[in-house]
Amino acid sequence: MRIRAQVAMVMNLDKCIGCHTCSVTCKQTWTNREGTEYVWFNNVETKPGIGYPKHYEDQDRWKGGWILDRKGRLTLRSGGRAKRLSRIFANPDLPSIDDYYEPATFDKDLLVSAPAGLTDTPVKRPRSALTGEPMAITWGANWEDSLGGQSGQDDPSLARMATKVKLEFEKTFMFHLPRICEHCLNPACVSACPSGAMYKRAEDGIVLVDQDRCRGWRMCVSACPYKKVYVNHATGKAEKCTLCFPRIEAGLPTICAETCVGRLRYLGIVLYDEDAVLAAASVPDPQDLLDAQRAVFLDPRDPGVERAARDAGMPDEWIEAAKLSPIRKLISEYRIALPLHPEYRTLPMVWYVPPLSPVLDAAGAAGRDDADADDVFHTIRDLRIPVEYLAELFTAGDTEAVAGVLMKLAAMRSYMRSRTLDGTVAQDLLDRIGMTAEQVEAMYRLLAVAKYDERYVIPAAHAKDAAALDAQAAGHDGCALDCEGGPGMSDPFHLSARP
Ligand code: SF4
Ligand code: SF4
């Protein structure tokens, strides 16, 4: 067992109001530069919808993530090493600027510099931020906001569902999905990089790009199934979400979390067994990936795990932070957070509490009482449309797993209502979801009223420990799986060693 710590995030989707504050503050901090005009390390998309870049979830088109080969071995969907190298100068699986959007700016100067006495009022016309030429704005990173773009029917997750569902979805539900890099445990971007420029930090699992080593091959862009690596067109090099590592190292939350209006983001440490990652990512049935990834996580409250972490050189402060971690509670203790598209097999580390509100809306529309847990339970069982869609996003289509989480959330809501209004304890609800009163009240506190230091439990970085952990990493300079028998490919040309 090799114990590692990972900084991870959970977002509670019921609380996202789609205000895009997170996207804007992230952009102001990280991508407010020439070459990154079209880049949103954090974006918020409306679901159902085709997202940013368009159709990024269609892996038949983009060949992102991992699949199992005929022998059941994990391999990049973009092909084996030889195939990827044969395409190194002409990669057909790259999104173009049209798949993102052409960023625009406006002739604002005209508003103040136009001569007096014009018969027509001057207007600020859009110009391409890339070419400076006049342009018509026809798409954007947020074009589908609140289904305004009406392109949801092309959503790849809906395409896997029945026709009746596709035809009904707009009457039924929508919600916002904020996305950043997943800082995966099994990052396809790292394994696809021919230069060894993409790497996963040993001390906290943050995935970064070494700008000095990046040669601009763009294999990472294709390999990332979430399309969260971008090319800076001014430098020709890859850039991505850094999980605000300078802030994390100072014990502070990321900018997107700090400024989130809905206070729906949680940040903390999870401990995991690096030796178990490859087997977890390789389970044959995609619907088993959720449990397989949960099984990779270690409980820091277990004395054996704590001892092993100490033996591995992990600082006490990190172990204590792992015990208090809101991420551990939401993923492993309450089991209400789910990974986005586990079927990509990258073992993502930004998880989501799925939204209950689409189901409540459906209950109300069906004439049921959305305040009654029984009615909501029945709605979850009967009105399958939102549940099936959420299952496509979070459990590789396993509707029972999503329904189980939604029932916990519905039961918590009803339990707290009767506890607060009537002073009664709804023991039957607790029995139905298999949780204790203490657990449900603690879960409610974390989801509803948790303060800053409960939502973000981040130890400050220890530079000397990081160096020691790096040295322990399995003889590689890229990904934990870039080792003998692993599926990675860190530096086949030894380009990084060249002057
Ligand atoms: S989500 Fe992030 S870590 Fe995962 S493959 Fe994409 S860029 Fe890499
Ligand atoms: S700031 Fe928070 S509430 Fe607003 S869009 Fe971002 S995640 Fe949602």
Side-chain angles (χ1 to χ4, degrees):
M1 179 167 74
R2 276 185 298 170
I3 294 191
R4 290 271 181 237
Q6 169 83 38
V7 182
M9 185 182 284
V10 169
M11 302 192 215
N12 180 2
L13 293 182
D14 247 339
K15 296 171 83 176
C16 181
I17 57 173
C19 65
H20 301 272
T21 307
C22 48
S23 303
V24 172
T25 51
C26 172
K27 188 147 190 63
Q28 295 281 22
T29 307
W30 289 104
T31 56
N32 194 9
R33 294 171 281 121
E34 187 193 353
T36 57
E37 296 90 348
Y38 77 102
V39 172
W40 296 84
F41 288 168
N42 182 111
N43 74 293
V44 183
E45 51 206 37
T46 297
K47 286 293 182 188
I50 61 175
Y52 159 83
K54 294 172 192 164
H55 302 287
Y56 70 92
E57 292 157 293
D58 182 357
Q59 303 312 332
D60 291 337
R61 165 71 187 87
W62 300 116
K63 311 280 189 301
W66 301 87
I67 52 171
L68 299 180
D69 67 12
R70 278 196 296 271
K71 292 183 177 165
R73 290 175 310 202
L74 202 60
T75 184
L76 288 170
R77 188 186 282 264
S78 49
R81 190 174 300 192
K83 183 174 176 190
R84 278 180 285 129
L85 290 179
S86 73
R87 293 173 158 190
I88 202 158
F89 296 110
N91 179 355
D93 302 322
L94 279 175
S96 69
I97 194 68
D98 290 337
D99 293 307
Y100 294 94
Y101 73 108
E102 184 163 354
T105 184
F106 294 89
D107 276 336
K108 298 187 211 62
D109 285 352
L110 195 61
L111 298 184
V112 289
S113 62
L118 288 178
T119 49
D120 296 326
T121 307
V123 292
K124 47 177 188 167
R125 295 190 192 285
R127 284 187 179 275
S128 167
L130 304 181
T131 63
E133 296 299 316
M135 64 174 280
I137 299 176
T138 56
W139 194 258
N142 177 31
W143 199 254
E144 301 173 289
D145 197 15
S146 304
L147 294 179
Q150 296 287 315
S151 54
Q153 302 218 30
D154 298 328
D155 180 328
S157 296
L158 277 178
R160 290 189 286 270
M161 297 167 65
T163 309
K164 72 172 173 54
V165 173
K166 285 190 240 176
L167 295 176
E168 285 292 313
F169 85 94
E170 277 183 25
K171 292 184 219 156
T172 314
F173 68 105
M174 58 145 274
F175 60 94
H176 302 288
L177 180 70
R179 294 199 306 118
I180 61 173
C181 163
E182 298 277 346
H183 298 277
C184 308
L185 295 184
N186 181 29
C189 59
V190 173
S191 290
C193 175
S195 311
M198 308 278 306
Y199 64 104
K200 186 168 178 66
R201 296 210 305 193
E203 69 270 33
D204 56 16
I206 295 176
V207 175
L208 296 171
V209 188
D210 181 336
Q211 292 292 299
D212 290 336
R213 296 175 81 171
C214 178
R215 302 293 196 273
W217 297 120
R218 306 176 185 202
M219 293 292 169
C220 50
V221 180
S222 304
C224 172
Y226 302 94
K227 289 292 165 277
K228 279 295 173 187
V229 190
Y230 305 85
V231 174
N232 178 323
H233 64 80
T235 65
K237 301 198 178 199
E239 293 193 20
K240 62 179 289 303
C241 160
T242 65
L243 208 64
C244 292
F245 71 87
R247 288 177 60 89
I248 294 285
E249 288 173 0
L252 295 170
T254 59
I255 283 288
C256 57
E258 173 86 51
T259 58
C260 173
V261 172
R263 298 186 177 183
L264 58 93
R265 296 186 186 225
Y266 299 81
L267 270 162
I269 301 288
V270 289
L271 302 187
Y272 70 99
D273 179 5
E274 191 174 32
D275 285 339
V277 167
L278 180 55
S282 308
V283 294
D285 185 344
Q287 293 191 354
D288 291 336
L289 282 159
L290 168 61
D291 280 338
Q293 187 170 359
R294 280 181 180 145
V296 169
F297 301 140
L298 301 169
D299 188 345
R301 299 166 304 172
D302 177 332
V305 170
E306 187 173 349
R307 202 175 319 113
R310 252 191 209 104
D311 291 347
M314 196 171 291
D316 288 349
E317 190 188 351
W318 284 63
I319 298 170
E320 291 311 310
K323 289 180 189 170
L324 295 172
S325 168
I327 309 303
R328 180 190 62 73
K329 292 174 186 168
L330 293 167
I331 292 178
S332 302
E333 191 174 338
Y334 310 141
R335 297 166 78 88
I336 54 169
L338 300 169
L340 181 63
H341 289 303
E343 71 274 17
Y344 298 162
R345 298 181 183 272
T346 62
L347 305 192
M349 286 311 301
V350 176
W351 286 41
Y352 295 88
V353 178
L356 183 63
S357 45
V359 176
L360 298 180
D361 291 347
R368 289 176 167 156
D369 180 359
D370 68 7
D372 184 293
D374 268 337
D375 268 6
V376 175
F377 278 19
H378 282 126
T379 305
I380 293 168
R381 288 271 168 240
D382 296 347
L383 296 178
R384 305 300 296 174
I385 295 173
V387 176
E388 282 181 27
Y389 182 78
L390 293 174
E392 289 294 334
L393 286 187
F394 298 119
T395 58
D398 181 354
T399 51
E400 281 306 304
V402 167
V405 171
L406 295 176
M407 284 184 183
K408 280 186 184 174
L409 296 172
M412 177 190 76
R413 207 165 161 265
S414 288
Y415 171 90
M416 290 307 298
R417 180 181 290 110
S418 56
R419 177 110 164 68
T420 310
L421 297 181
D422 314 330
T424 56
V425 172
Q427 187 59 44
D428 60 318
L429 281 177
L430 299 177
D431 294 343
R432 285 164 76 178
I433 58 170
M435 293 178 79
T436 65
E438 291 73 27
Q439 278 178 319
V440 168
E441 287 175 33
M443 183 167 90
Y444 166 77
R445 178 172 176 79
L446 188 58
L447 290 180
V449 293
K451 300 293 179 226
Y452 191 92
D453 58 358
E454 294 169 272
R455 283 182 279 127
Y456 312 128
V457 183
I458 309 157
H462 292 246
K464 66 177 170 40
D465 300 312
L469 281 167
D470 245 343
Q472 283 175 22
H476 66 83
D477 55 2
C479 166
L481 303 183
D482 290 346
C483 54
E484 200 55 42
M489 180 188 78
S490 65
D491 195 3
F493 288 153
H494 303 290
L495 293 170
S496 54
R498 293 181 185 172

